[in-house]
Amino acid sequence: MRILLVEDYVELAGEIACRIERAGFAVDRVGSIEGASAALDNGTYTVALLDRRLPDGDGLSLISQIRKRQPTSRILVLTALDSVDDKIEGLDAGADDYLTKPFNLDEMMARIRASLRRPAGDRTPPITVGALSYDLDTRMVSVAGRPVLFLRRELVLLETLLRRVNCVVPRERLLTGVYGFDAEVHEHALTALVSRVRVRLAELDAGVEIHSARGLGYLIAIAKSRPPK
């Protein structure tokens, strides 16, 4: 699960990000509306944490963008604007929750977990390609109905490609999605990761293949049938 944190106060952003990472989640930090918009172009987020008083405007203006571009994302507003009217404005704008500063980081994590407990009837349909099925809500992979496990980065790579089946996903987007904005990672690491996932898909007989688009990126598609020997 990847979380987008939009907070311009660097010290607080660091504390929040550290707590999220301790809970086992990946987090991308930005400090402005413009930065958040760029992040939404390059990553898929299960949860977005929004400050309101940002250098380039009110963080509430991001809610409509998130709802349009990533409709399954949960949105939690973290702000010092604590009047009843402020809270009503945030919730009416489409936020799932509203937490006022100063707040306890454990409470914040509890609210994130609560936001992820959606009703069964509101589930996102799984992505199915070949014999492989990926549940976007539980992040579980199955092949021919059998659950299989992938390492965290393998799973992030697979999800990013599956969300755009038959479309080339740029290498830059994959690097950011798998390793985060701030990581200094050589492209050889991505190449090695793709190779491992390719081998695993073949071993599982998943019926899908990862193809290279020379100089551009990668795409995932149904495996071509091979003539019998």
Side-chain angles (χ1 to χ4, degrees):
M1 186 181 76
R2 184 168 292 276
I3 293 177
L4 175 62
L5 171 60
V6 188
E7 169 61 65
D8 64 322
Y9 184 32
V10 176
E11 184 176 345
L12 177 59
E15 292 176 359
I16 294 172
C18 183
R19 182 64 183 85
I20 291 171
E21 289 168 348
R22 278 172 45 209
F25 304 136
V27 57
D28 289 333
R29 295 162 48 184
V30 297
S32 65
I33 293 171
E34 182 181 5
S37 295
L40 292 168
D41 287 335
N42 291 288
T44 301
Y45 299 98
T46 308
V47 178
L49 306 178
L50 308 180
D51 187 15
R52 290 196 58 175
R53 290 173 170 167
L54 296 169
D56 50 354
D58 190 335
L60 293 186
S61 65
L62 285 166
I63 294 178
S64 60
Q65 283 193 54
I66 296 170
R67 292 296 182 216
K68 182 178 180 180
R69 297 157 71 179
Q70 300 188 19
T72 61
S73 295
R74 286 71 158 180
I75 300 173
L76 173 58
V77 176
L78 307 175
T79 179
L81 298 176
D82 59 359
S83 73
V84 172
D85 288 341
D86 290 326
K87 295 175 184 177
I88 291 172
E89 183 182 13
L91 295 170
D92 283 348
D96 296 297
D97 201 353
Y98 196 104
L99 184 60
T100 58
K101 301 175 182 177
F103 53 82
N104 181 280
L105 293 175
D106 288 334
E107 180 185 357
M108 178 197 72
M109 291 306 307
R111 288 175 182 257
I112 290 174
R113 292 192 297 271
S115 75
L116 298 173
R117 293 194 289 269
R118 61 169 65 186
D122 194 26
R123 294 182 61 83
T124 307
I127 299 173
T128 302
V129 185
L132 184 147
S133 181
Y134 180 66
D135 189 314
L136 290 160
D137 291 314
T138 64
R139 304 193 75 207
M140 293 296 296
V141 179
S142 60
V143 174
R146 303 187 311 273
V148 294
L149 296 177
F150 284 84
L151 298 176
R152 184 180 68 82
R153 284 178 176 161
E154 295 173 348
L155 189 61
V156 174
L157 173 72
L158 193 59
E159 177 179 326
T160 305
L161 292 171
L162 286 170
R163 285 179 178 272
R164 300 189 63 194
V165 174
N166 295 318
C167 295
V168 174
V169 181
R171 293 179 67 90
E172 295 77 11
R173 179 168 183 173
L174 289 170
L175 281 167
T176 300
V178 173
Y179 299 102
F181 283 115
D182 300 328
E184 295 183 4
V185 181
H186 198 281
E187 287 198 9
H188 289 327
L190 177 62
T191 302
L193 179 63
V194 170
S195 179
R196 291 201 304 272
V197 176
R198 276 180 174 149
V199 170
R200 189 80 194 289
L201 292 173
E203 291 174 345
L204 292 167
D205 196 19
V208 298
E209 294 175 338
I210 299 176
H211 300 277
S212 301
R214 189 178 297 276
L216 298 176
Y218 297 93
L219 63 87
I220 196 166
I222 294 177
K224 294 181 180 179
S225 59
R226 295 177 174 81
K229 295 183 179 178

